[in-house]
Amino acid sequence: MNNNIIQHIRKFIDLNDSDEVAINKYIETHQFEKKEFIMHEPKVCKHLYFVEKGCLRMYFINKKGVEQITQFALEGWWISDYQSFMNNTPSDYYIQTIEESTIVSIDNQNLDKLLNELPQLERYFRLIMQRAVAGAQHRSKLLYEMSKEEFFFHFSSSFPEFMLRVPQYMIASYLGLTPEYLSELRKKYI
Amino acid sequence: MNNNIIQHIRKFIDLNDSDEVAINKYIETHQFEKKEFIMHEPKVCKHLYFVEKGCLRMYFINKKGVEQITQFALEGWWISDYQSFMNNTPSDYYIQTIEESTIVSIDNQNLDKLLNELPQLERYFRLIMQRAVAGAQHRSKLLYEMSKEEFFFHFSSSFPEFMLRVPQYMIASYLGLTPEYLSELRKKYI
C-alpha cells in the first residue's frame, strides 16, 4: 500500500497505526501508464498529487501553441496547480506521467476532512509548503544570476537522476533552450 | 499593538483573546527608518518577517557586484530567506526597508514554541506558505510566457500601489530591465 507517502509524512511528524488508517481513508492511489494525463486544462485542479513511484511533468500551452514545461516531480514530491486548487478556478496546466507511475492524490474536501481528523498533519503540509517556497526562491535566484548554459550545467549536476529519466526535449523545454542547442551542449560538455 | 498581524491571522483561523496574548509573547515588533537593514548576508536568516506597515525589498549582490532585487513585501506580506531559515545556512540576501516600516518578526525557536502552545497556528502558516507557492508558480509562468515589456505592463496594472511607492530603479532591477529602458517604457505607455 502507500508506503512512500506514509514514510514521507513520518520524516516530519509522528504517526501511529490509527493515524495511518485515517490517512488511507482520505487519499486515493492510482496507477498510470507512461504519458497518461493526471490533470487537464481547463478543469479546476481539485487535487494535490504525491508521486509514490514514477515521474510527472507539468506544462501549459504557450501563445505559440508550444508545450512549456514549468515543473517536474519525482518520487516523494508533491505537485499541483496551487492557484487553481486554492481558488477553485480553471487551470491552464496539464500534469502528465513521463514513466509508468503510482500517484497518491487527495482532493480539497478530503484534505479538509483529513486535517480535521488529524490536525497534526497541518504541520506536515506547512513544512512541505515551506520547502516548496524555499525551492521556488532558490530557482528564481538561479534564473536571475545564471545564463541558460550555466543553468543547464547546474541542473545536470544537481539532478543527475533526472537527466537519465527525462527525455532531452522535455529538459530543453523546462530550461527554455531548443532541443538542438541542448544536444550541442551535452555533446560538448558531458 | 500588532493589529495587522492579528487581523491577518484571523482571516484564516479563529483566535480568542488568550491566543492573542500567546502570540504577542513570541513575536517582536520593531520600527525601522527608511533604508534600514532588517537582515544582512552572510548571516543565517533566523526570522520570518511580517510587514505591519511599510515596504521591504529583498536582494542579493550578483556576480557583477550589482544589487539584484528578487522580492518586495508590502503590508500583510511575510518575507524571509526560507532556505537559510530552514537549513540554518548563511543567507546570500539582504532585506531592507524602502519606507519607514513596522516589522513583526519571529525566530525559529519562538515559532516552534508558539506552534507548540497554539498548534492551530500550523494551519495559518500552512495556508500562508501555500499561497506563497501559488504566487511563485504564477510568477514563474508569467516569466516563461511574457517578454520583459509585457511583464512590466502586467506588473504595472496588477500592482499600481507598488509603482507609486517603490523607486523606479528598484522596479527595473526586479524586472531585469535597465532603469533607462524602464523610464522609456513608462513615458511611452503610462
Side-chain angles (χ1 to χ4, degrees):
Chain A
M1 291 295 291
N2 311 297
N3 283 326
N4 287 343
I5 191 163
I6 298 295
Q7 278 170 29
H8 197 255
I9 297 173
R10 285 213 164 105
K11 282 186 200 166
F12 297 89
I13 59 166
D14 294 331
L15 289 181
N16 60 34
D17 291 350
S18 72
D19 297 338
E20 205 176 316
V21 173
I23 293 167
N24 279 307
K25 202 165 58 182
Y26 294 113
I27 61 177
E28 289 182 39
T29 305
H30 295 285
Q31 307 294 329
F32 292 91
E33 296 300 311
K34 191 174 170 172
K35 294 197 177 179
E36 261 199 271
F37 286 99
I38 288 177
M39 193 191 93
H40 265 270
E41 65 82 43
K43 289 187 187 157
V44 173
C45 177
K46 291 194 178 294
H47 294 81
L48 303 181
Y49 302 101
F50 175 86
V51 184
E52 275 277 319
K53 191 172 159 296
C55 184
L56 301 175
R57 67 176 182 137
M58 182 165 169
Y59 68 90
F60 68 94
I61 306 290
N62 70 16
K63 282 179 249 168
K64 293 177 189 159
V66 176
E67 294 175 3
Q68 174 61 60
I69 297 177
T70 57
Q71 277 177 265
F72 294 101
L74 285 183
E75 286 85 7
W77 296 21
W78 284 92
I79 197 166
S80 184
D81 176 351
Y82 288 99
Q83 207 156 37
S84 173
F85 180 79
M86 286 166 61
N87 305 330
N88 208 31
T89 50
S91 177
D92 292 331
Y93 289 99
Y94 300 78
I95 299 179
Q96 190 190 27
T97 58
I98 295 174
E99 305 168 349
E100 269 188 36
S101 301
T102 309
I103 306 297
V104 169
S105 64
I106 185 159
D107 68 21
N108 3 34
Q109 291 184 338
N110 278 324
L111 181 63
D112 282 346
K113 286 181 197 163
L114 174 61
L115 292 170
N116 277 333
E117 192 168 329
L118 295 183
Q120 65 267 41
L121 275 178
E122 290 280 5
R123 182 177 178 79
Y124 168 70
F125 283 104
R126 196 250 306 168
L127 292 169
I128 290 300
M129 295 297 162
Q130 192 169 290
R131 217 160 63 151
V133 179
Q137 265 186 337
H138 181 65
R139 179 164 174 271
S140 150
K141 181 166 182 282
L142 294 182
L143 288 171
Y144 271 119
E145 67 183 338
M146 286 184 177
S147 68
K148 285 182 175 178
E149 290 75 7
E150 287 171 324
F151 194 63
F152 164 69
F153 293 120
H154 177 82
F155 193 78
S156 310
S157 59
S158 304
F159 305 105
E161 198 191 334
F162 236 100
M163 302 301 283
L164 295 173
R165 288 171 66 177
V166 174
Q168 190 156 319
Y169 79 94
M170 291 189 188
I171 293 169
S173 166
Y174 176 71
L175 298 178
L177 302 168
T178 65
E180 295 73 23
Y181 185 54
L182 184 70
S183 171
E184 267 178 51
L185 283 178
R186 290 183 83 141
K187 271 183 215 149
K188 252 194 211 165
Y189 299 105
I190 291 186
Chain B
M1 292 299 291
N2 312 299
N3 282 325
N4 287 342
I5 191 163
I6 298 296
Q7 279 172 29
H8 197 256
I9 297 173
R10 285 211 165 105
K11 282 186 199 165
F12 297 89
I13 59 166
D14 294 330
L15 288 182
N16 61 32
D17 290 350
S18 71
D19 296 339
E20 204 176 314
V21 172
I23 292 168
N24 279 306
K25 203 166 57 182
Y26 295 113
I27 60 177
E28 288 183 38
T29 305
H30 295 283
Q31 308 294 327
F32 292 91
E33 297 299 312
K34 189 174 172 173
K35 295 198 179 180
E36 262 198 271
F37 285 99
I38 288 176
M39 194 191 92
H40 265 269
E41 66 82 42
K43 289 186 187 158
V44 173
C45 177
K46 292 195 178 292
H47 296 81
L48 305 180
Y49 301 100
F50 176 86
V51 184
E52 275 277 320
K53 192 172 158 295
C55 184
L56 300 176
R57 66 175 182 137
M58 183 164 167
Y59 68 90
F60 69 93
I61 306 291
N62 70 16
K63 282 179 248 168
K64 293 177 190 159
V66 175
E67 294 174 3
Q68 175 60 61
I69 296 176
T70 57
Q71 276 176 268
F72 295 101
L74 284 182
E75 285 86 7
W77 295 21
W78 283 93
I79 196 166
S80 185
D81 176 349
Y82 288 99
Q83 209 158 35
S84 172
F85 180 79
M86 286 165 61
N87 305 331
N88 209 31
T89 49
S91 176
D92 291 331
Y93 289 100
Y94 299 77
I95 300 180
Q96 189 189 27
T97 59
I98 295 175
E99 305 167 350
E100 269 188 36
S101 300
T102 309
I103 305 298
V104 169
S105 63
I106 186 160
D107 67 22
N108 4 34
Q109 292 186 337
N110 278 323
L111 181 64
D112 282 345
K113 286 182 196 164
L114 174 62
L115 293 169
N116 277 335
E117 192 167 331
L118 296 184
Q120 66 267 41
L121 276 178
E122 291 279 4
R123 181 176 178 80
Y124 168 69
F125 283 105
R126 195 252 306 170
L127 292 168
I128 289 300
M129 295 296 162
Q130 192 169 288
R131 217 161 64 152
V133 179
Q137 264 186 337
H138 180 65
R139 179 163 175 272
S140 149
K141 181 164 184 282
L142 293 182
L143 288 171
Y144 270 119
E145 68 183 339
M146 286 184 177
S147 66
K148 285 185 176 177
E149 289 77 6
E150 287 170 323
F151 194 63
F152 165 70
F153 294 121
H154 177 84
F155 193 78
S156 309
S157 59
S158 304
F159 305 104
E161 198 191 334
F162 235 102
M163 302 301 282
L164 295 172
R165 286 173 66 178
V166 174
Q168 187 156 320
Y169 80 92
M170 290 188 187
I171 294 170
S173 166
Y174 176 71
L175 298 176
L177 302 167
T178 65
E180 295 72 24
Y181 185 55
L182 184 70
S183 169
E184 266 178 51
L185 284 177
R186 291 184 82 140
K187 272 184 213 149
K188 252 192 209 164
Y189 301 103
I190 292 188

